[in-house]
Amino acid sequence: QVQLVESGGGLVQPGGSLRLSCAAFGFTLEHYAMGWFRQAPGKEREGVSCISSEEATYTAYADSKKGRFTISRDNTRNVVYLQMNDVKPEDTAVYYCGADLDQDCSRRLHYGMDYWGKGTRVTVSS
């Protein structure tokens, strides 16, 4: 059974850092593009970042996250990470990871992924 499990969320102060993890069970991430998405209260889900499978050479970020968020993957551990730096209150949301065989990350950030985790909550507040 394909399963994605996010972890690493929690309460963080503005300007702080957090690293989210997404572990895969039941399949290997090696051939999948992996993405992070988020949904804030009362808002639609939005794409945050995506990384392709081909030697992780293609990454994409939604504009507001460039320079603050970094996506990475460790295929040997079957895990994808999202490093979040200089977080802001507007980053408060439930963060979801997704997997898709389509390697076009720009398209995936817009349309979503085939497989989803259940999310991890991030709250940025002082």
Side-chain angles (χ1 to χ4, degrees), residues 27-35 50-54 73 98-105 107-108 112-115:
F27 73 109
T28 57
L29 297 179
E30 183 179 4
H31 302 295
Y32 287 80
M34 299 299 298
C50 174
I51 185 168
S52 67
S53 70
E54 300 300 326
R73 63 192 299 157
D100 202 293
L101 288 172
D102 180 9
Q103 301 301 314
D104 188 328
C105 271
R107 181 163 59 209
R108 288 303 103 209
M113 301 290 198
D114 278 344
Y115 301 104

Side-chain angles (χ1 to χ4, degrees), residues 71-90:
I71 191 170
S72 62
R73 63 192 299 157
D74 185 343
N75 289 339
T76 63
R77 295 176 181 267
N78 229 26
V79 179
V80 176
Y81 303 101
L82 183 70
Q83 178 67 41
M84 305 168 60
N85 296 329
D86 189 25
V87 295
K88 306 176 185 300
E90 52 265 39

Side-chain angles (χ1 to χ4, degrees), residues 6-109:
E6 303 93 336
S7 62
L11 176 63
V12 59
Q13 292 187 342
S17 296
L18 208 60
R19 188 176 79 160
L20 306 183
S21 300
C22 172
F25 300 92
F27 73 109
T28 57
L29 297 179
E30 183 179 4
H31 302 295
Y32 287 80
M34 299 299 298
W36 284 96
F37 296 75
R38 71 185 188 186
Q39 187 166 20
K43 295 187 177 181
E44 292 186 355
R45 183 192 67 199
E46 65 170 342
V48 173
S49 184
C50 174
I51 185 168
S52 67
S53 70
E54 300 300 326
E55 300 182 353
T57 55
Y58 178 25
T59 59
Y61 296 88
D63 287 345
S64 64
K65 291 73 175 176
K66 287 180 181 177
R68 298 193 297 121
F69 292 4
T70 302
I71 191 170
S72 62
R73 63 192 299 157
D74 185 343
N75 289 339
T76 63
R77 295 176 181 267
N78 229 26
V79 179
V80 176
Y81 303 101
L82 183 70
Q83 178 67 41
M84 305 168 60
N85 296 329
D86 189 25
V87 295
K88 306 176 185 300
E90 52 265 39
D91 294 323
T92 294
V94 177
Y95 284 71
Y96 300 89
C97 80
D100 202 293
L101 288 172
D102 180 9
Q103 301 301 314
D104 188 328
C105 271
S106 292
R107 181 163 59 209
R108 288 303 103 209
L109 283 178

